[in-house]
Amino acid sequence: EGLVKVEREWRKECHNQLLDLKGQIRVFGRIRPTLPREQDEEIVTMKKDARTAEVQRTQTSVEGVKREERRSVPLDAIFGPDSTQEEVFREVENLVQSAIDGYNITVLTYGQTGAGKTYTLYGGQGDDRGVAPRTVEAIFERLKRLDTTRFKAIVRANLVELYKNELVDLFANNGSNSSSSSSSSALQQQQHQQQQQQQQQQQQQPQRTVAALQRCLQGQLNNNDSLLLKQGAASNMSTSTTTATGGMSATPSRLDVRRDARTGESLVENLAEREVDNATDLWRAVEEGTERRHVASTNSNADSSRSHLFLTIVLEIQDVETRTSVTSKLRLCDLAGSERPKKSGASGDAMKEAIEINRALTALGDVIDSLTKGSSKGPIPYRNHKLTQLLSDSLGGSAKTLMIVNVAPGRSEVEETINSLAYAARVRNITN
């Protein structure tokens, strides 16, 4: 038994030291295939080798002379247009084991709108499944390997979107607060019955109150009448409160980001968490939640994500023998796409969304700049935006972080591609 324990600890240490040698913050690049509308467009962004992306663009001098410029951007891995979802996940899979070992893990997808971020992270069905569903499957597959006579695993999850600098709990209305959807339905039915009873009492209350007032004026008030008059006053107050809040439904608690002073982790207060026993239940809840995510159609993307999406999976491994436990957090973040409203054709609400998205990504860029310059340049501006508050324990701390930067291959997108790859290079220079 002692030898097995030593071997397990040795494997855990070696596995995570190997990942640390690769870098606690790693950055991958992925070039999406051309779209049907881009078939006649020149390809200027390509995979040069396994770790380098190359971008070609035309520069025009002041004199009007044009010249071709080639720029190489080294990253930790590059996936070309023909890469599969399985190939991408194969490079991510080791992080799942680190999460089970007790390390906090964050995976982010970044890039311009329409570059394939959501496809990389969430994907579709079958072989098109993205990093997120494959991660959920891998978690439960690896938990099955634990010695169940000694270890107990508890898995909880939450799903949050950051929309226009406001946090939205996407598990709040899909049964996440209950053990099953049936218990949620039973609770709703009970609340409906209570509401009907209250309405009946309120309808009868005025007649009873009028009769009590008549007896009061006649000097015939009794103890029951006094109690009835007090109830009537309380009922009026309750009715006005109920009307102001739109019925019996309680106002959703405000979601705020708080930093744990002891652990340094970023936490979202008043957030619904769902405890799950298997990958199927967890992914069903995620699919239900993501259906409520804000999307819109733009010139760049027919289903453009208008919010930053955070799926957080909390793993708690309890050792029954030693009565100790290890808790870790695996966070999957689909960042909204950077965009130029003039090019995307955004207007009205979409324009406001684009402004908020770019403001959040700018704040994230400021944090990255501060981290690359070092602590001597002053405090890191995590508090400038809720996005950076949420990611404060993912960048610059002891967590293992992977950013997958998605870019488009065509010449029409070359400026956005260069900006995204420059962003990726800055993230790669962060030293924890």
Short mmCIF file of all heavy atoms in Angstrom, two decimals, residues 59-65:
data_model
loop_
_atom_site.label_atom_id
_atom_site.label_comp_id
_atom_site.label_asym_id
_atom_site.label_seq_id
_atom_site.Cartn_x
_atom_site.Cartn_y
_atom_site.Cartn_z
N GLN A 59 2.24 45.68 -48.28
CA GLN A 59 2.50 46.99 -47.67
C GLN A 59 2.70 48.01 -48.77
O GLN A 59 3.38 47.75 -49.78
CB GLN A 59 3.74 46.94 -46.79
CG GLN A 59 3.60 46.04 -45.56
CD GLN A 59 2.81 46.71 -44.46
OE1 GLN A 59 1.60 46.92 -44.59
NE2 GLN A 59 3.47 47.03 -43.36
N THR A 60 2.13 49.18 -48.59
CA THR A 60 2.26 50.27 -49.56
C THR A 60 3.02 51.42 -48.92
O THR A 60 2.61 51.93 -47.87
CB THR A 60 0.89 50.74 -50.06
OG1 THR A 60 0.17 49.62 -50.59
CG2 THR A 60 1.04 51.81 -51.14
N SER A 61 4.10 51.83 -49.54
CA SER A 61 4.92 52.92 -49.00
C SER A 61 4.27 54.27 -49.28
O SER A 61 3.25 54.36 -49.99
CB SER A 61 6.32 52.88 -49.62
OG SER A 61 6.25 53.18 -51.02
N VAL A 62 4.86 55.31 -48.73
CA VAL A 62 4.35 56.67 -48.94
C VAL A 62 4.39 57.03 -50.42
O VAL A 62 3.52 57.75 -50.94
CB VAL A 62 5.18 57.68 -48.12
CG1 VAL A 62 4.70 59.11 -48.38
CG2 VAL A 62 5.11 57.36 -46.64
N GLU A 63 5.38 56.52 -51.12
CA GLU A 63 5.51 56.80 -52.56
C GLU A 63 4.56 55.96 -53.41
O GLU A 63 4.52 56.11 -54.64
CB GLU A 63 6.95 56.54 -53.02
CG GLU A 63 7.99 57.48 -52.43
CD GLU A 63 8.38 57.07 -51.01
OE1 GLU A 63 8.02 55.92 -50.63
OE2 GLU A 63 9.00 57.87 -50.30
N GLY A 64 3.81 55.06 -52.76
CA GLY A 64 2.87 54.23 -53.49
C GLY A 64 3.45 52.92 -53.98
O GLY A 64 2.80 52.21 -54.75
N VAL A 65 4.66 52.61 -53.52
CA VAL A 65 5.30 51.37 -53.93
C VAL A 65 4.79 50.22 -53.05
O VAL A 65 4.79 50.33 -51.82
CB VAL A 65 6.84 51.47 -53.82
CG1 VAL A 65 7.50 50.15 -54.20
CG2 VAL A 65 7.35 52.62 -54.68
#
